[in-house]
Amino acid sequence: MLETVLDIFDNFWVALGAKLLLVALLIPLIGMVIGFAEIKLSAKMQARMGPYFAGGRWGWAQLIADGIKFFQKEDIIPDNADRPVFKTAPMLVLVGTVALFVVIPFGPGLIFRDLSVGIFYALAISSLSTIGVLMAGWSSANKYSLIGGLRAAGQLIAYELPLVLAAVGSVIMAGTMSMSGIVEAQITAGYPYVIFQFVGFGIFMVAALAELTRIPFDMPIAESELVMGYLTEYSGFRFLFFFLAEFANMFTMSAIAATLFLGGYWLPGIPTETLEFVGPVILLAKVFLLAFAMIWFRWTFPRFREDQLQTLAWKWLIPLALANIGATAFFKVVL
Amino acid sequence: MTIDADTIRHLSEVSVSVELQTEDMTLNIGPQHPSTHGVLRLVARVDGERCHDVQPVIGYMHRGYEKLSEVRTYPQITTIVNRIDWVAGYANEVPFIVAAEKLMGVEAPERAQYIRLILTEMARMASHLVFMASYPLELGAATPLFFALRERERVLDLLEGVTGGRFHPNFNRIGGVKPAYGAGSSTRKMIQDLPAGFLKDTRDAMGRVLGVCDELEDLVAGNEIILARTKGVGILPPEVAVSYGVSGPNLRASGVSFDLRRAESYLPYESFDFDVITGENGDCWDRWWVRLQEIREAARIIVQAVDGIPAGPLQAKVPKIIKVPKGETYVRAENPKGEMGYYLVSDGGTGPYRLKIRSASFSNISVLPYLLEGILVPDIIATMGSLDFVLGDVDR
């Protein structure tokens, strides 16, 4: 019986459909879990209650209600907006996020597609959403959106470099660019790479925060300055797309960081045979730990100024990341 | 295009000074904008992130209070002046009442003066706590808002307990404080003093406010990003501040030790021990710091006043229908936002002939074009927020 069910998935199209469905369900689910964590944790940090009534207990259904609200809203496109670009931008942002799920290993063999250039693909595809943000800012026919979009472009270009360079350290240590290969290398080595790559991990997390345009790097949105930045003119389900993409992106960035530096689905002391089952749980635990840190930063820090952000990237993070690569390569060759 | 010697010379000059031909963009900040504190409008000429000049446009909130007060009686005007600087409504009443009393030759009893002083300092505290809440928010930090507003609520509770209103107490009467009419002769005596337990609650609340000051200092002053965003930004030199008529904490942050609580005698401040806080550089950071210290000083004053409040009547003898003798006077007071003054001209009637209201925020934001010239767009918000203005106080 089970075999016949599994046989169906041997068909390429059925398997593809199943995977697509899984991702399509996974992203809103993850977005909601992290989004709910954010609203509840921020309430806790600010001596507030947070949502309380939706769903009966703890306001657990708040984000579902919000989602339904967004769908009910009128679809407003400004008169002067560049309509096709305006409509494409949110999709492009979400595509950049969804495509990242392809290479995240949730367990041994539990990966949508184990590309041999996995990390390279992940970092390349994550820049896709930059274009979406720039398109959103450009097409909105709003000066605040324009400034926000250009800020986003400048910021994401600046932080793409430290992000990639920080990942290189782990790649050198593992000797492979495949995401599951990196995890397996950590299992073989017997320790997560963060022990030697703590500089790389720190740079990666800072750069990831900037990629996600979260506080302290949320200048493209900067509510107090640019109203809502590139999102100013978006409402309804288009806004929901950006919203989902933000939280799903938090997940994928945390998952990549966990895979590269924290041993992915593996934890020291867990027998490797059981990883097929506990692996996803371990990965999720690590992801939520990192996502918690991101939420914590967001509700603690103010935002940088645009020039301070660029200074941080070009004068500190990139040289530091290069030094980290040099040191890693040196020890790899010598030891 | 043909390239001749002239064109080459021209091009070389152009390329030296301007690599890219950029065009300035006019950016309308406000009147509907998250951080203009209401309906201030700034017309900024920006080149990318750099802002060449800024023109503030005011008047969206003009309510004609100077004119309105000409057709009202003196006791009615306190309801209007409450709404000038609504964050510290109580503090607006005092100088007006003192001006009227001065012309009438009436002096409020000492207990009433102490109550006025306590409530004025509470209004200052509430106003500065709002600044403590909103300023980090303008820099992107959302959390200090809740800590500051939580303790502000304690202060407002006390104000409400005494006056019945959180924002617009309308509590001063000419010759004293209290709801003089409308309570009935039997209950009037009972409700017309401070509520029971007020002095003890005040001491408790002051402890909590001082606690949140420490908390805010940890949270905000201990944050490298805030320091990077505010230190050296929006520097207001003392001579410029004086020439623009900037007053209050903004002036003191520039290093000018001028406090009307010391210079004038509208309330018995001379019997209190407090420091006039001054900053050093006159940047956004100093303006934040001066206000934090002023909350602490206000708590110090309130505790002294609560300890030393004399017994006695709350209301001096005044006629039932108040008529102010002919004459004119100017009374100014140190309000949370700065110097608040009333130039009162009376022709002997039941209402003023003319009332000129000098509000602090109006003069304070007049310095914006100076401060914002050549600044970055994020610093516009940081600098504007640090001036701590209220649009009702700007437009009146």
Side-chain angles (χ1 to χ4, degrees):
Chain A
M1 176 61 195
L2 188 68
E3 277 166 19
T4 48
V5 172
L6 288 178
D7 279 348
I8 297 170
F9 285 99
D10 282 346
N11 183 320
F12 173 76
W13 295 107
V14 174
L16 184 70
K19 284 176 177 178
L20 282 179
L21 191 70
L22 195 62
V23 171
L25 291 176
L26 203 62
I27 286 174
L29 191 72
I30 286 168
M32 271 188 202
V33 170
I34 296 185
F36 186 70
E38 168 128 49
I39 54 183
K40 274 311 223 191
L41 285 171
S42 67
K44 204 81 185 156
M45 288 169 193
Q46 300 181 331
R48 292 186 286 122
M49 286 299 223
Y52 203 70
F53 295 106
R57 256 190 113 105
W58 313 306
W60 65 271
Q62 181 64 44
L63 281 181
I64 298 173
D66 277 350
I68 294 169
K69 177 195 74 179
F70 280 128
F71 273 106
Q72 287 171 333
K73 284 197 169 188
E74 187 190 349
D75 178 26
I76 300 169
I77 300 178
D79 271 351
N80 294 332
D82 189 341
R83 292 179 77 92
V85 181
F86 188 84
K87 286 180 176 174
T88 322
M91 298 177 209
L92 204 60
V93 171
L94 200 58
V95 162
T97 307
V98 175
L100 275 179
F101 276 81
V102 171
V103 290
I104 294 170
F106 287 90
L110 273 177
I111 182 167
F112 290 110
R113 180 67 70 186
D114 189 11
L115 299 175
S116 58
V117 287
I119 179 66
F120 181 68
Y121 164 84
L123 295 173
I125 211 85
S126 73
S127 336
L128 200 62
S129 47
T130 314
I131 301 172
V133 167
L134 189 55
M135 281 162 70
W138 183 259
S139 64
S140 291
N142 181 317
K143 286 170 183 172
Y144 290 116
S145 298
L146 181 62
I147 296 179
L150 288 175
R151 275 186 183 187
Q155 171 172 343
L156 299 181
I157 289 166
Y159 278 84
E160 203 81 335
L161 279 169
L163 193 75
V164 173
L165 293 177
V168 168
S170 282
V171 172
I172 292 176
M173 283 184 80
T176 172
M177 283 169 95
S178 148
M179 295 285 273
S180 53
I182 290 173
V183 178
E184 276 155 23
Q186 294 182 62
I187 296 174
T188 321
Y191 57 84
Y193 282 160
V194 69
I195 291 174
F196 294 107
Q197 287 293 327
F198 52 90
V199 177
F201 178 64
I203 296 170
F204 191 90
M205 286 314 287
V206 172
L209 275 177
E211 283 285 290
L212 294 169
T213 64
R214 284 178 72 84
I215 284 177
F217 304 105
D218 74 329
M219 296 74 150
I221 296 178
E223 284 137 28
S224 56
E225 297 155 23
L226 301 181
V227 188
M228 203 61 191
Y230 59 88
L231 296 174
T232 306
E233 296 290 354
Y234 281 93
S235 64
F237 71 94
R238 288 185 219 284
F239 179 77
L240 185 66
F241 268 39
F242 282 109
F243 189 73
L244 268 184
E246 183 191 333
F247 287 115
N249 234 335
M250 264 172 86
F251 179 88
T252 49
M253 276 294 174
S254 304
I256 292 172
T259 305
L260 286 179
F261 299 102
L262 304 180
Y265 54 78
W266 167 75
L267 207 63
I270 303 277
T272 39
E273 307 84 60
T274 59
L275 279 181
E276 291 213 6
F277 306 103
V278 294
V281 180
I282 293 173
L283 182 76
L284 280 180
K286 288 174 182 173
V287 164
F288 285 129
L289 203 67
L290 293 177
F292 170 75
M294 289 180 181
I295 292 170
W296 187 14
F297 295 154
R298 159 135 190 210
W299 298 102
T300 308
F301 289 126
R303 78 174 69 82
F304 278 108
R305 206 169 54 208
E306 200 61 21
D307 58 325
Q308 291 165 343
L309 165 112
Q310 300 287 350
T311 311
L312 182 69
W314 295 102
K315 288 193 180 161
W316 294 99
L317 293 184
I318 292 176
L320 210 59
L322 286 172
N324 182 46
I325 292 175
T328 311
F330 177 76
F331 283 113
K332 173 92 176 172
V333 172
V334 171
L335 302 176
Chain B
M1 189 169 88
T2 54
I3 306 266
D4 55 14
D6 270 358
T7 319
I8 288 175
R9 197 162 55 244
H10 174 69
L11 282 177
S12 63
E13 278 170 8
V14 166
S15 67
V16 168
S17 56
V18 188
E19 284 172 26
L20 285 166
Q21 284 292 339
T22 56
E23 220 176 284
D24 284 351
M25 177 168 85
T26 307
L27 188 67
N28 247 315
I29 304 174
Q32 302 291 330
H33 187 274
S35 41
T36 49
H37 299 253
V39 287
L40 176 69
R41 178 173 160 218
L42 297 178
V43 182
R45 202 157 56 79
V46 294
D47 179 10
E49 290 279 331
R50 182 70 61 183
C51 160
H52 287 313
D53 61 44
V54 169
Q55 286 305 321
V57 180
I58 61 171
Y60 291 92
M61 191 126 205
H62 183 67
R63 293 155 295 173
Y65 282 172
E66 293 181 5
K67 189 71 193 163
L68 279 177
S69 57
E70 289 172 17
V71 294
R72 273 162 175 71
T73 62
Y74 287 98
Q76 286 173 333
I77 289 171
T78 47
T79 46
I80 294 181
V81 298
N82 262 325
R83 284 154 177 79
I84 292 174
D85 169 11
W86 54 69
V87 182
Y90 186 85
N92 304 330
E93 294 178 13
V94 177
F96 171 74
I97 290 289
V98 172
E101 286 172 355
K102 204 168 147 190
L103 280 183
M104 288 175 74
V106 177
E107 193 167 347
E110 211 181 345
R111 187 176 173 83
Q113 298 226 10
Y114 265 66
I115 293 174
R116 280 182 189 172
L117 186 144
I118 292 172
L119 298 184
T120 305
E121 289 305 312
M122 279 183 181
R124 183 185 320 281
M125 208 174 246
S127 166
H128 284 354
L129 280 172
V130 170
F131 173 78
M132 289 294 139
S134 66
Y135 191 56
L137 191 67
E138 268 147 29
L139 301 176
T143 303
L145 176 98
F146 293 91
F147 294 143
L149 289 190
R150 185 181 58 194
E151 300 315 325
R152 167 177 172 258
E153 218 45 46
R154 314 274 162 215
V155 179
L156 288 182
D157 281 350
L158 290 169
L159 258 171
E160 189 184 2
V162 180
T163 66
R166 291 166 78 239
F167 280 83
H168 306 307
N170 193 23
F171 185 60
N172 284 294
R173 298 293 177 272
I174 287 172
V177 292
K178 66 184 167 181
Y181 298 101
S185 54
S186 56
T187 50
R188 198 190 299 163
K189 285 213 164 50
M190 285 162 59
I191 64 164
Q192 280 171 8
D193 208 331
L194 295 171
F198 174 78
L199 301 181
K200 182 184 163 296
D201 289 350
T202 306
R203 283 196 199 93
D204 289 353
M206 291 311 114
R208 299 189 63 134
V209 168
L210 290 177
V212 84
C213 283
D214 296 341
E215 216 170 354
L216 285 170
E217 198 160 15
D218 282 352
L219 193 61
V220 178
N223 192 317
E224 287 293 325
I225 302 177
I226 292 237
L227 298 183
R229 283 296 306 276
T230 55
K231 284 211 165 164
V233 172
I235 294 176
L236 180 62
E239 60 279 1
V240 178
V242 170
S243 68
Y244 274 90
V246 173
S247 56
N250 296 327
L251 179 67
R252 290 192 284 276
S254 296
V256 182
S257 178
F258 177 71
D259 193 323
L260 288 168
R261 289 178 290 182
R262 286 256 192 263
E264 296 276 326
S265 60
Y266 62 103
L267 282 176
Y269 278 109
E270 62 278 358
S271 46
F272 290 91
D273 175 31
F274 68 98
D275 296 330
V276 176
I277 310 291
T278 52
E280 284 166 14
N281 307 317
D283 52 9
C284 294
W285 169 251
D286 278 349
R287 292 193 273 274
W288 183 87
W289 188 82
V290 163
R291 288 195 176 88
L292 183 75
Q293 301 303 322
E294 284 195 0
I295 297 178
R296 291 182 166 144
E297 293 303 316
R300 223 171 115 191
I301 294 172
I302 291 175
V303 169
Q304 289 174 42
V306 164
D307 287 339
I309 189 163
L314 291 177
Q315 177 77 41
K317 279 259 179 278
V318 287
K320 270 247 159 92
I321 294 171
I322 287 167
K323 283 191 176 168
V324 173
K326 202 165 176 176
E328 49 189 68
T329 183
Y330 181 68
V331 169
R332 53 186 188 162
E334 183 67 33
N335 266 29
K337 304 279 187 290
E339 175 182 336
M340 173 120 197
Y342 291 92
Y343 191 83
L344 179 63
V345 183
S346 175
D347 60 354
T350 54
Y353 175 75
R354 173 84 171 93
L355 182 68
K356 166 80 181 94
I357 303 168
R358 192 271 188 210
S359 60
S361 299
F362 179 75
S363 305
N364 285 355
I365 69 158
S366 70
V367 79
L368 273 180
Y370 172 85
L371 280 179
L372 299 184
E373 198 183 336
I375 212 167
L376 293 170
V377 170
D379 287 344
I380 294 181
I381 308 299
T383 308
M384 188 170 70
S386 74
L387 290 179
D388 188 27
F389 53 87
V390 160
L391 259 292
D393 204 24
V394 173
D395 288 341
R396 303 187 293 287

PDB file of all heavy atoms in Angstrom, chain A residues 119-142:
ATOM      1  N   ILE A 119      25.056  26.777  -2.001  1.00  0.00           N
ATOM      2  CA  ILE A 119      25.186  28.050  -1.299  1.00  0.00           C
ATOM      3  C   ILE A 119      25.332  29.201  -2.289  1.00  0.00           C
ATOM      4  O   ILE A 119      24.800  30.300  -2.094  1.00  0.00           O
ATOM      5  CB  ILE A 119      26.360  27.989  -0.290  1.00  0.00           C
ATOM      6  CG1 ILE A 119      26.526  29.319   0.443  1.00  0.00           C
ATOM      7  CG2 ILE A 119      27.674  27.608  -0.947  1.00  0.00           C
ATOM      8  CD1 ILE A 119      25.375  29.648   1.323  1.00  0.00           C
ATOM      9  N   PHE A 120      26.025  28.883  -3.402  1.00  0.00           N
ATOM     10  CA  PHE A 120      26.182  29.889  -4.457  1.00  0.00           C
ATOM     11  C   PHE A 120      24.825  30.278  -5.022  1.00  0.00           C
ATOM     12  O   PHE A 120      24.488  31.454  -5.166  1.00  0.00           O
ATOM     13  CB  PHE A 120      27.082  29.297  -5.545  1.00  0.00           C
ATOM     14  CG  PHE A 120      27.351  30.226  -6.682  1.00  0.00           C
ATOM     15  CD1 PHE A 120      28.125  31.361  -6.491  1.00  0.00           C
ATOM     16  CD2 PHE A 120      26.840  29.964  -7.939  1.00  0.00           C
ATOM     17  CE1 PHE A 120      28.372  32.212  -7.536  1.00  0.00           C
ATOM     18  CE2 PHE A 120      27.089  30.819  -8.987  1.00  0.00           C
ATOM     19  CZ  PHE A 120      27.854  31.943  -8.788  1.00  0.00           C
ATOM     20  N   TYR A 121      24.013  29.243  -5.269  1.00  0.00           N
ATOM     21  CA  TYR A 121      22.660  29.469  -5.774  1.00  0.00           C
ATOM     22  C   TYR A 121      21.853  30.284  -4.775  1.00  0.00           C
ATOM     23  O   TYR A 121      21.163  31.249  -5.134  1.00  0.00           O
ATOM     24  CB  TYR A 121      21.995  28.111  -6.032  1.00  0.00           C
ATOM     25  CG  TYR A 121      20.492  28.158  -6.183  1.00  0.00           C
ATOM     26  CD1 TYR A 121      19.920  28.467  -7.404  1.00  0.00           C
ATOM     27  CD2 TYR A 121      19.660  27.902  -5.098  1.00  0.00           C
ATOM     28  CE1 TYR A 121      18.546  28.513  -7.542  1.00  0.00           C
ATOM     29  CE2 TYR A 121      18.294  27.957  -5.226  1.00  0.00           C
ATOM     30  CZ  TYR A 121      17.739  28.258  -6.450  1.00  0.00           C
ATOM     31  OH  TYR A 121      16.388  28.309  -6.578  1.00  0.00           O
ATOM     32  N   ALA A 122      21.953  29.917  -3.490  1.00  0.00           N
ATOM     33  CA  ALA A 122      21.150  30.586  -2.465  1.00  0.00           C
ATOM     34  C   ALA A 122      21.481  32.071  -2.402  1.00  0.00           C
ATOM     35  O   ALA A 122      20.593  32.933  -2.374  1.00  0.00           O
ATOM     36  CB  ALA A 122      21.392  29.934  -1.109  1.00  0.00           C
ATOM     37  N   LEU A 123      22.781  32.367  -2.390  1.00  0.00           N
ATOM     38  CA  LEU A 123      23.166  33.778  -2.263  1.00  0.00           C
ATOM     39  C   LEU A 123      22.819  34.553  -3.524  1.00  0.00           C
ATOM     40  O   LEU A 123      22.475  35.738  -3.463  1.00  0.00           O
ATOM     41  CB  LEU A 123      24.659  33.882  -1.961  1.00  0.00           C
ATOM     42  CG  LEU A 123      25.042  33.278  -0.614  1.00  0.00           C
ATOM     43  CD1 LEU A 123      26.538  33.255  -0.447  1.00  0.00           C
ATOM     44  CD2 LEU A 123      24.391  34.031   0.521  1.00  0.00           C
ATOM     45  N   ALA A 124      22.903  33.863  -4.671  1.00  0.00           N
ATOM     46  CA  ALA A 124      22.579  34.557  -5.916  1.00  0.00           C
ATOM     47  C   ALA A 124      21.089  34.855  -5.993  1.00  0.00           C
ATOM     48  O   ALA A 124      20.683  35.966  -6.330  1.00  0.00           O
ATOM     49  CB  ALA A 124      23.015  33.705  -7.106  1.00  0.00           C
ATOM     50  N   ILE A 125      20.290  33.858  -5.634  1.00  0.00           N
ATOM     51  CA  ILE A 125      18.848  34.018  -5.802  1.00  0.00           C
ATOM     52  C   ILE A 125      18.282  34.986  -4.769  1.00  0.00           C
ATOM     53  O   ILE A 125      17.267  35.649  -4.989  1.00  0.00           O
ATOM     54  CB  ILE A 125      18.143  32.640  -5.739  1.00  0.00           C
ATOM     55  CG1 ILE A 125      16.897  32.633  -6.610  1.00  0.00           C
ATOM     56  CG2 ILE A 125      17.760  32.275  -4.340  1.00  0.00           C
ATOM     57  CD1 ILE A 125      17.180  32.317  -8.034  1.00  0.00           C
ATOM     58  N   SER A 126      18.978  35.114  -3.630  1.00  0.00           N
ATOM     59  CA  SER A 126      18.454  36.026  -2.612  1.00  0.00           C
ATOM     60  C   SER A 126      18.564  37.474  -3.067  1.00  0.00           C
ATOM     61  O   SER A 126      17.868  38.338  -2.538  1.00  0.00           O
ATOM     62  CB  SER A 126      19.183  35.824  -1.287  1.00  0.00           C
ATOM     63  OG  SER A 126      20.477  36.362  -1.366  1.00  0.00           O
ATOM     64  N   SER A 127      19.446  37.747  -4.036  1.00  0.00           N
ATOM     65  CA  SER A 127      19.523  39.124  -4.542  1.00  0.00           C
ATOM     66  C   SER A 127      18.359  39.455  -5.452  1.00  0.00           C
ATOM     67  O   SER A 127      18.155  40.615  -5.799  1.00  0.00           O
ATOM     68  CB  SER A 127      20.808  39.357  -5.329  1.00  0.00           C
ATOM     69  OG  SER A 127      21.778  38.483  -4.944  1.00  0.00           O
ATOM     70  N   LEU A 128      17.630  38.426  -5.850  1.00  0.00           N
ATOM     71  CA  LEU A 128      16.518  38.667  -6.767  1.00  0.00           C
ATOM     72  C   LEU A 128      15.492  39.602  -6.138  1.00  0.00           C
ATOM     73  O   LEU A 128      14.933  40.483  -6.808  1.00  0.00           O
ATOM     74  CB  LEU A 128      15.859  37.333  -7.114  1.00  0.00           C
ATOM     75  CG  LEU A 128      15.010  37.296  -8.379  1.00  0.00           C
ATOM     76  CD1 LEU A 128      15.856  37.593  -9.579  1.00  0.00           C
ATOM     77  CD2 LEU A 128      14.351  35.942  -8.513  1.00  0.00           C
ATOM     78  N   SER A 129      15.289  39.443  -4.837  1.00  0.00           N
ATOM     79  CA  SER A 129      14.279  40.280  -4.196  1.00  0.00           C
ATOM     80  C   SER A 129      14.710  41.745  -4.180  1.00  0.00           C
ATOM     81  O   SER A 129      13.862  42.630  -4.107  1.00  0.00           O
ATOM     82  CB  SER A 129      13.982  39.782  -2.788  1.00  0.00           C
ATOM     83  OG  SER A 129      15.166  39.540  -2.099  1.00  0.00           O
ATOM     84  N   THR A 130      16.022  41.985  -4.249  1.00  0.00           N
ATOM     85  CA  THR A 130      16.494  43.372  -4.347  1.00  0.00           C
ATOM     86  C   THR A 130      15.878  44.066  -5.551  1.00  0.00           C
ATOM     87  O   THR A 130      15.435  45.211  -5.472  1.00  0.00           O
ATOM     88  CB  THR A 130      18.023  43.404  -4.517  1.00  0.00           C
ATOM     89  OG1 THR A 130      18.590  42.527  -3.582  1.00  0.00           O
ATOM     90  CG2 THR A 130      18.545  44.799  -4.350  1.00  0.00           C
ATOM     91  N   ILE A 131      15.867  43.322  -6.660  1.00  0.00           N
ATOM     92  CA  ILE A 131      15.305  43.909  -7.877  1.00  0.00           C
ATOM     93  C   ILE A 131      13.834  44.204  -7.673  1.00  0.00           C
ATOM     94  O   ILE A 131      13.322  45.245  -8.092  1.00  0.00           O
ATOM     95  CB  ILE A 131      15.537  42.960  -9.070  1.00  0.00           C
ATOM     96  CG1 ILE A 131      17.037  42.726  -9.252  1.00  0.00           C
ATOM     97  CG2 ILE A 131      14.940  43.533 -10.337  1.00  0.00           C
ATOM     98  CD1 ILE A 131      17.372  41.668 -10.250  1.00  0.00           C
ATOM     99  N   GLY A 132      13.154  43.277  -6.993  1.00  0.00           N
ATOM    100  CA  GLY A 132      11.742  43.491  -6.715  1.00  0.00           C
ATOM    101  C   GLY A 132      11.522  44.754  -5.899  1.00  0.00           C
ATOM    102  O   GLY A 132      10.621  45.548  -6.192  1.00  0.00           O
ATOM    103  N   VAL A 133      12.368  44.946  -4.892  1.00  0.00           N
ATOM    104  CA  VAL A 133      12.232  46.128  -4.038  1.00  0.00           C
ATOM    105  C   VAL A 133      12.489  47.391  -4.843  1.00  0.00           C
ATOM    106  O   VAL A 133      11.755  48.385  -4.746  1.00  0.00           O
ATOM    107  CB  VAL A 133      13.209  46.014  -2.852  1.00  0.00           C
ATOM    108  CG1 VAL A 133      13.320  47.336  -2.131  1.00  0.00           C
ATOM    109  CG2 VAL A 133      12.763  44.933  -1.900  1.00  0.00           C
ATOM    110  N   LEU A 134      13.526  47.340  -5.665  1.00  0.00           N
ATOM    111  CA  LEU A 134      13.840  48.513  -6.490  1.00  0.00           C
ATOM    112  C   LEU A 134      12.689  48.807  -7.451  1.00  0.00           C
ATOM    113  O   LEU A 134      12.307  49.968  -7.657  1.00  0.00           O
ATOM    114  CB  LEU A 134      15.136  48.246  -7.264  1.00  0.00           C
ATOM    115  CG  LEU A 134      15.747  49.418  -8.020  1.00  0.00           C
ATOM    116  CD1 LEU A 134      15.975  50.574  -7.063  1.00  0.00           C
ATOM    117  CD2 LEU A 134      17.054  49.009  -8.645  1.00  0.00           C
ATOM    118  N   MET A 135      12.118  47.743  -8.016  1.00  0.00           N
ATOM    119  CA  MET A 135      10.978  47.930  -8.925  1.00  0.00           C
ATOM    120  C   MET A 135       9.807  48.555  -8.180  1.00  0.00           C
ATOM    121  O   MET A 135       9.132  49.456  -8.691  1.00  0.00           O
ATOM    122  CB  MET A 135      10.549  46.587  -9.517  1.00  0.00           C
ATOM    123  CG  MET A 135      11.413  46.107 -10.665  1.00  0.00           C
ATOM    124  SD  MET A 135      11.189  44.362 -10.966  1.00  0.00           S
ATOM    125  CE  MET A 135       9.544  44.345 -11.634  1.00  0.00           C
ATOM    126  N   ALA A 136       9.562  48.065  -6.970  1.00  0.00           N
ATOM    127  CA  ALA A 136       8.447  48.597  -6.183  1.00  0.00           C
ATOM    128  C   ALA A 136       8.645  50.083  -5.930  1.00  0.00           C
ATOM    129  O   ALA A 136       7.725  50.892  -6.078  1.00  0.00           O
ATOM    130  CB  ALA A 136       8.332  47.848  -4.860  1.00  0.00           C
ATOM    131  N   GLY A 137       9.871  50.442  -5.561  1.00  0.00           N
ATOM    132  CA  GLY A 137      10.138  51.845  -5.267  1.00  0.00           C
ATOM    133  C   GLY A 137      10.026  52.703  -6.504  1.00  0.00           C
ATOM    134  O   GLY A 137       9.502  53.821  -6.467  1.00  0.00           O
ATOM    135  N   TRP A 138      10.508  52.183  -7.616  1.00  0.00           N
ATOM    136  CA  TRP A 138      10.553  52.977  -8.838  1.00  0.00           C
ATOM    137  C   TRP A 138       9.162  53.187  -9.433  1.00  0.00           C
ATOM    138  O   TRP A 138       8.827  54.268  -9.911  1.00  0.00           O
ATOM    139  CB  TRP A 138      11.464  52.273  -9.855  1.00  0.00           C
ATOM    140  CG  TRP A 138      11.623  53.041 -11.112  1.00  0.00           C
ATOM    141  CD1 TRP A 138      10.991  52.814 -12.279  1.00  0.00           C
ATOM    142  CD2 TRP A 138      12.455  54.172 -11.310  1.00  0.00           C
ATOM    143  NE1 TRP A 138      11.374  53.726 -13.201  1.00  0.00           N
ATOM    144  CE2 TRP A 138      12.277  54.575 -12.637  1.00  0.00           C
ATOM    145  CE3 TRP A 138      13.351  54.874 -10.497  1.00  0.00           C
ATOM    146  CZ2 TRP A 138      12.953  55.670 -13.174  1.00  0.00           C
ATOM    147  CZ3 TRP A 138      14.014  55.953 -11.022  1.00  0.00           C
ATOM    148  CH2 TRP A 138      13.809  56.340 -12.341  1.00  0.00           C
ATOM    149  N   SER A 139       8.339  52.114  -9.383  1.00  0.00           N
ATOM    150  CA  SER A 139       7.081  52.165 -10.126  1.00  0.00           C
ATOM    151  C   SER A 139       5.957  52.845  -9.352  1.00  0.00           C
ATOM    152  O   SER A 139       4.911  53.117  -9.912  1.00  0.00           O
ATOM    153  CB  SER A 139       6.641  50.746 -10.485  1.00  0.00           C
ATOM    154  OG  SER A 139       6.364  50.042  -9.303  1.00  0.00           O
ATOM    155  N   SER A 140       6.173  53.129  -8.070  1.00  0.00           N
ATOM    156  CA  SER A 140       5.063  53.629  -7.261  1.00  0.00           C
ATOM    157  C   SER A 140       4.693  55.072  -7.554  1.00  0.00           C
ATOM    158  O   SER A 140       3.660  55.534  -7.081  1.00  0.00           O
ATOM    159  CB  SER A 140       5.401  53.509  -5.781  1.00  0.00           C
ATOM    160  OG  SER A 140       5.429  52.180  -5.401  1.00  0.00           O
ATOM    161  N   ALA A 141       5.542  55.789  -8.278  1.00  0.00           N
ATOM    162  CA  ALA A 141       5.289  57.197  -8.565  1.00  0.00           C
ATOM    163  C   ALA A 141       5.127  57.992  -7.274  1.00  0.00           C
ATOM    164  O   ALA A 141       4.219  58.784  -7.113  1.00  0.00           O
ATOM    165  CB  ALA A 141       4.063  57.376  -9.446  1.00  0.00           C
ATOM    166  N   ASN A 142       6.014  57.719  -6.328  1.00  0.00           N
ATOM    167  CA  ASN A 142       5.957  58.380  -5.041  1.00  0.00           C
ATOM    168  C   ASN A 142       7.403  58.664  -4.630  1.00  0.00           C
ATOM    169  O   ASN A 142       8.262  57.799  -4.748  1.00  0.00           O
ATOM    170  CB  ASN A 142       5.270  57.443  -4.032  1.00  0.00           C
ATOM    171  CG  ASN A 142       5.150  58.052  -2.670  1.00  0.00           C
ATOM    172  OD1 ASN A 142       6.086  58.675  -2.166  1.00  0.00           O
ATOM    173  ND2 ASN A 142       4.016  57.870  -2.055  1.00  0.00           N
TER     174      ASN A 142
END
